């Protein structure tokens, strides 16, 4: 009924820890939800990818480095097939 969309970067180790803690919680809280995630950086991409794949079962994960944040976010939203979207910054 709802999909989650994220388009973000994370370049600081302390923020990476926050993302890691929250990703596991998101997976438990939204187990049947489709996630459309773009990680818009090369920094920590492997760590982010591993964490999301490990914790989110319905993941659509991208590493689109396009500088136009709105264009990338719109592309993610166009993939959503549910009537509602929750946008999470990180």
């Amino acid at each position: 009924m709802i999909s989650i969309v994220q388009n973000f970067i994370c370049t600081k180790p302390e923020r990476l820890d926050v993302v890691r803690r929250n990703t596991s919680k998101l997976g438990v809280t939204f187990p049947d939800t489709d996630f459309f995630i773009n990680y818009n950086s090369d920094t920590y991409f492997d760590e982010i990818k591993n964490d999301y794949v490990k914790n989110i079962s319905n993941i659509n994960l991208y590493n689109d480095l396009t500088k136009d944040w709105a264009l990338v976010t719109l592309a993610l939203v166009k993939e959503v097939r549910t009537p509602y979207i929750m946008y999470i910054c990180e």
Side-chain angles (χ1 to χ4, degrees):
M1 179 79 102
I2 190 169
S3 296
I4 295 179
V5 172
Q6 291 181 285
N7 183 18
F8 71 104
I9 65 171
C10 175
T11 59
K12 297 181 180 179
E14 58 273 8
R15 295 301 298 158
L16 180 60
D17 291 338
V18 172
V19 171
R20 285 180 166 159
R21 286 193 310 270
N22 288 333
T23 303
S24 62
K25 292 174 187 173
L26 285 171
V28 171
T29 305
F30 299 101
D32 299 321
T33 302
D34 291 332
F35 282 72
F36 298 87
I37 312 297
N38 184 61
Y39 186 69
N40 199 319
S41 177
D42 287 328
T43 305
Y44 297 128
F45 175 68
D46 291 333
E47 292 89 338
I48 294 288
K49 179 181 177 182
N50 290 338
D51 223 40
Y52 271 83
V53 169
K54 175 182 165 187
N55 291 292
I56 308 294
S57 58
N58 300 325
I59 184 90
N60 300 279
L61 179 65
Y62 305 95
N63 188 218
D64 185 338
L65 303 177
T66 302
K67 297 297 180 194
D68 190 333
W69 173 86
L71 186 64
V72 173
T73 303
L74 180 59
L76 294 172
V77 169
K78 286 183 176 182
E79 289 190 40
V80 172
R81 298 293 171 238
T82 59
Y84 300 103
I85 297 171
M86 178 188 303
Y87 182 80
I88 300 176
C89 295
E90 55 189 51

